[in-house]
Every structure is written in C-alpha cells, then in structure tokens.
Amino acid sequence: MATVPGQLIWEMVKKNNSFLVKQFGRGTASLRFSKESNNLYNLNSYKHSGLANKKTVSIQAAGKDQAVVLATSKTKKQNKPAALFHKSVMKKEFRRMAKAVENQVEGNYYRPDLKKAALARLSAVHRSLKVAKSGVKKSKRQALKIRV
Amino acid sequence: MAAAARPLVSVQPLPASLNDMVTDHVTTVALPDVMKASIRPDIVNFVHSNISKNSRQPYAVSKKAGHQTSAESWGTGRAVSRIPRVSGGGTHRAGQGAFGNMCRGGRMFAPTKTWRRWHRKVNVNQKRYAVVSAIAASSIPSLVMARGHRVESVPEMPLVISDSAESIEKTSTAIKVLKEIGAYPDAEKAKDSQAIRPGKGKMRNRRYISRKGPLIVYGTEGAKLVKAFRNIPGVDVANVERLNLLKLAPGGHLGRFVIWTKSAIEKLDSIYGSFEKCSEKKQGYVLPRSKMVNADLARIINSDEVQSVVKPIKKEIKRASLKKNPLKNLNVMLKLNPYAKTARRMALLAEAERVKSKKEKLDKKRKPVSKEELAAAKAAGKAWYKTMISDSDYTEFENFTKWLGVSQ
C-alpha cells in the first residue's frame, strides 16, 4: 500500500471521524476531543492525531493496577494493524517510567515533539491509577451538609 | 505513473480444520492498482447522496384532498372573513372554512406530487471514480478505523483470505473464519449495536438500526459463502463485478472494512484496469489520475532536491521599532542628517557668545559709575555744549547772547 501521506488522511479525517468528541466549550461545541487510544492529548489536531501520523505514541493504563502500557507504532508496518504497535508494559516506579518514556519518545528521535505530551500523560495516568487504588478521598474541608 | 512498484499483500490462510481442502501455504498477491487511486471524499459524498436517492419510492398527498367540498365564499358584509365556506346546513361542517392551507380540513400548501424528481442521474465516470476511491480508502487502516470499524487485530490491510472461504456453507464456520482473521470484533460491534430506532421511523417500517460490520467481497459467481455470511449481523456480501458504492462507503463516509477473497482481488485488476492500461470490463476506462502523485508534503519538503535549493531559515525576527521624533531626539536626527551635529554645536556656541556679551553690557550698565568717570562724563558734556554753541550760527546774533550764556 503506498502510504497515503498523513496530510491527506488528516484532511479527510479532521472534520468527521468516529473518535471525534465535540462536547464542551462555550457555544457551538468548539472543543474537539478525540477518543483514539494513540492520541496523547486526546485533542483532535494533526500533531496529536493517532490516525494521521505514521509514528504515534500511546500511554494507557494496563489492566493490573499501577501498570502502564507504552505503545509506539512501527513505521514499516502501517498496513498491518495487528502488528502495528510496539507495546510494553511498565510497572516501575514513576521516575524510571518517566525516563523510559522519554528515551522512547525523544531519545531515539522518534517523535521529539511529543515528549512533553507523553510525560504529561504518564503523570496523569499514573496519578489516576493511584487514586483508583486508594479510593477517591473526600476532602476534609467538605462543606457541611444541611440536613432537614 | 503508479507511485511505486506494486507491493505484495499476503493472503491469509484458513485453517485446515474448517474445510477438507488442503490449506494453501501463505501466498501473496500483488496489490491491485485500484487501491492506489486518489481518494476523493468529496466525489464519494456527492455520488453517494445522489445514488441513494434512486431507490426512493414516491410519496404524495391525495390529489383530491381538501377539495371535496362545494364551498363558496360568503363575500363581504356578513362579519366573517372572506375565506370560502362550506355551504348547506344542519351539520358542524356547514359554514366552516374550506380550501385554504390555513383552514382546518383544507388542502395543504403545495400538495406533494408523485411526479417530483425522485431519482438522480450521475455521470458514469463519476460513479466509477467514487467506487474506485472507496476501494482505495478501504485499504488504509487509518481511514477504516476513523469510520469506526474495529480493525486493531486485523493482520493486514487490505485483508485477503484464501479462496477456500468461498465454499463455506455453514454460518458457524463463517463466524469461526471471521474470528481467525481478526474481523470478529467488528461483527461483534455490529451485533451489539442493534437497537430500536428513535423517532417515528419506528412505525414506518424502519424499526431497527445497527452499525455496519465488514463487507465480504468474493470473486466467483455463485459462491456458497453468500449464504453462509449473510445472516451474520452487520456483515454484507458482494461480488467483485458488482460493487455498490452504497455498501463501500455507507453514509457517504469512506473506509468500510472490506474482506476480499483471493480471486476477488485478482479480478480487480481486470475490472478497473490500471493507471495506464484500460480496463477490460469497462470499455475505455482508465483509473483516474491524481492531482499530486506523491502527496507526502513532509517528505517532499525535507527531500534533498528541495532542501538543497531552499534558503536557510530566518531565525531572527525583525520587529517594527518605535518611531522617535528627530526634532526632539538628537541621535535620531543625526541618523537622518549628520551635519545637524555641527550645526547645532555652532548654534550653541553662538548663543553662548550672545549671552555673554549681553551680560557684559548689562553688567557694565548696572555697575555704579565711579567719581572720576562721573566727573569726566560731566566735563565731556559741558565741553560738548560749548562746541555746539560755537559751531552753531546762533552766536552771531546778539539776541541770543543772553541765554547762550558763555560765549566765545
């Protein structure tokens, strides 16, 4: 398959695709999010899109607690969706994971422009896993409930 | 003309347990040129919206509706509006308004007619372009995923399965096959999505809706797989020779998940031809040419040919500087007129001179005059008076001697 270039795909996909979420933002739903798994900011934009780029990075929570899956897509296997992703499950402490992510994304010049996004997402996922594990804490300063 | 040498697509083998035939080892098929055609969502959208009008059935209001009365207007003078009213008496209907679109029981505005133009004609070439585009789009995983099909576990796109699938007879084996090739999640999605349609369509014979699953395209006429696959929810079946845009791009959106059989893919070349070679089945038809053969902008821009001729990036940004008034700001004035420096210097010096000399003069005047100078000044005055008298002619006349005082 001649790799149809990302620009072309983006033009077709940006307005309308099954991952597009047009919900929030004042007025006519101006914030566009994207539910693809390999979109780091979940923003519907060319740079972050998992559909239009050959090289994508995705960071998701894995099934077991505290484990995070880092997946990068391989450029040569664009038309083999099953074999497309290079998945690795990480269960180390946060600093080590951050180092690993940074190396994968920027160290080998894979997608240096996504480094910040990848690290940000890592922290977000990691934190959510911690919260999920220990239960959502109620703040002690919660306003007193007025009981009738 | 084609972008590259034709890459190979491997044919997924079906496990021998499903059928008695010998499984072929993994073979490959060259990618048909159709899949490299330009993808034009605009054309597909246009053709799809027109083609889908072709299966409409006409609807119209009865042509007699609203007119089956002999109503006449009462005219003016009876304190009622002038709308035609039903004649006669003895019933509620008598005296009610009739005939107008605003009247209860009148006919509607512009009653719908059966001879409305329901069907649309589309140019054959456009229809072919759209189908070709849709086929090409179905081979790109991004587009298929964007359309919503679950193809993450599909081994390769375009998905080709061996011809032994064409002789599958039982639906249960068909489902097994789908699971083998990773297409089952998509069919599952379709099955899970079956729901009752919201809205009045429910009572108009359109009760259920569901998502679309994979489209199976087979090559040989009368293949048994049609019956095996057709009962699986979401799955459609089609013969290569009769591909339907409404199935390839449902809703006008490109990128349906298509599963080809080996013979189907091999036939594509003869049906659609290539970019240079005419198609065998469609007379004189050649695949449409794209505006840009290589549309990968990033690669073009970063290529050696372009980069070697391109000027370097301007990193420093020249910003507009604030305008300063040369009449007030000396440095800016000097930029415009270097002589201004010396001119100003001369002016300053001259001014200083002037100030100095004026000061001296004033000082001198203000200084109290000393006695000697005073006496000298007075004596000089008297002497002058005397010379004035002697110089003048008045001394000759005797009359003036008295007040001229000292004479000679």
Side-chain angles (χ1 to χ4, degrees), chain A residues 17-80:
Chain A
N17 65 65
S18 86
F19 304 104
L20 186 55
V21 172
K22 291 195 216 180
Q23 273 183 354
F24 307 100
R26 318 222 121 256
T28 46
S30 40
L31 273 188
R32 309 275 163 103
F33 291 114
S34 184
K35 289 193 286 197
E36 314 142 29
S37 60
N38 40 4
N39 181 330
L40 279 180
Y41 269 162
N42 278 355
L43 266 189
N44 195 39
S45 77
Y46 178 58
K47 180 159 128 175
H48 298 110
S49 154
L51 295 171
N53 286 312
K54 272 205 290 187
K55 302 182 181 176
T56 63
V57 179
S58 102
I59 296 182
Q60 305 275 328
K64 312 185 192 93
D65 66 337
Q66 302 285 334
V68 173
V69 178
L70 164 69
T72 55
S73 63
K74 303 184 210 169
T75 53
K76 294 257 163 36
K77 295 240 173 26
Q78 279 294 304
N79 55 343
K80 295 184 171 55

Side-chain angles (χ1 to χ4, degrees), chain B residues 7-151:
Chain B
L8 297 172
V9 181
S10 51
V11 179
Q12 310 298 325
L14 301 176
S17 57
L18 295 181
N19 41 38
D20 301 322
M21 301 192 205
V22 177
T23 331
D24 28 19
H25 41 272
V26 177
T27 46
T28 57
V29 182
L31 190 75
D33 271 341
V34 201
M35 309 245 172
K36 298 250 198 62
S38 41
I39 301 184
R40 294 272 245 119
D42 53 334
I43 294 189
V44 169
N45 204 359
F46 171 75
V47 174
H48 176 92
S49 53
N50 284 323
I51 288 189
S52 50
K53 293 180 187 166
N54 286 345
S55 63
R56 286 148 106 196
Q57 288 187 345
Y59 62 84
V61 174
S62 160
K63 71 175 181 187
K64 294 185 279 185
H67 282 285
Q68 302 192 60
T69 43
S70 59
E72 286 234 19
S73 169
W74 288 354
T76 46
R78 297 244 235 148
V80 290
S81 73
R82 295 179 273 170
I83 236 276
R85 294 174 182 276
V86 177
S87 4
T91 161
H92 278 295
R93 184 70 176 137
Q96 287 180 345
F99 285 158
N101 50 321
M102 61 282 217
C103 301
R104 178 179 178 276
R107 62 140 166 72
M108 60 182 273
F109 161 72
T112 47
K113 303 286 187 210
T114 51
W115 56 81
R116 178 194 299 213
R117 192 166 72 106
W118 302 100
H119 305 96
R120 292 286 181 276
K121 195 172 94 158
V122 186
N123 300 344
V124 172
N125 205 9
Q126 281 182 339
K127 287 195 265 199
R128 286 178 183 164
Y129 203 134
V131 172
V132 155
S133 257
I135 295 178
S138 75
S139 65
I140 300 176
S142 298
L143 292 180
V144 177
M145 286 212 291
R147 203 188 157 275
H149 293 286
R150 298 261 166 281
V151 282

Side-chain angles (χ1 to χ4, degrees), chain B residues 144-252:
Chain B
V144 177
M145 286 212 291
R147 203 188 157 275
H149 293 286
R150 298 261 166 281
V151 282
E152 288 93 3
S153 44
V154 166
E156 184 174 2
M157 292 285 275
L159 184 57
V160 185
I161 54 179
S162 75
D163 277 342
S164 48
E166 294 201 351
S167 48
I168 296 182
E169 287 194 16
K170 301 284 285 169
T171 308
S172 45
T173 41
I175 295 187
K176 280 220 197 89
V177 165
L178 283 185
K179 287 197 178 139
E180 282 286 327
I181 55 180
Y184 194 62
D186 205 26
E188 244 188 334
K189 164 196 90 162
K191 181 143 154 290
D192 290 336
S193 69
Q194 286 178 329
I196 297 187
R197 180 190 297 261
K200 286 272 182 355
K202 273 202 279 302
M203 26 173 153
R204 295 179 180 174
N205 304 334
R206 287 171 245 133
R207 193 160 179 90
Y208 294 102
I209 47 172
S210 63
R211 305 285 95 76
K212 290 242 172 258
L215 170 69
I216 318 260
V217 180
Y218 61 94
T220 42
E221 208 40 66
K224 302 254 180 58
L225 63 67
V226 179
K227 290 231 185 111
F229 278 93
R230 73 183 180 190
N231 203 23
I232 308 176
V235 169
D236 283 324
V237 199
N239 187 332
V240 204
E241 318 222 338
R242 296 185 289 274
L243 284 173
N244 186 354
L245 182 69
L246 302 174
K247 296 254 162 60
L248 282 173

Side-chain angles (χ1 to χ4, degrees), chain B residues 329-361:
Chain B
N329 186 322
L330 179 62
N331 279 326
V332 179
M333 182 60 154
L334 291 184
K335 247 201 261 184
L336 296 170
N337 176 14
Y339 180 67
K341 191 161 192 175
T342 55
R344 195 167 289 196
R345 191 187 307 135
M346 305 271 81
L348 282 175
L349 287 177
E351 177 71 20
E353 264 303 313
R354 259 183 264 130
V355 165
K356 197 166 105 191
S357 63
K358 180 160 182 184
K359 191 163 182 305
E360 277 175 4
K361 257 204 230 160

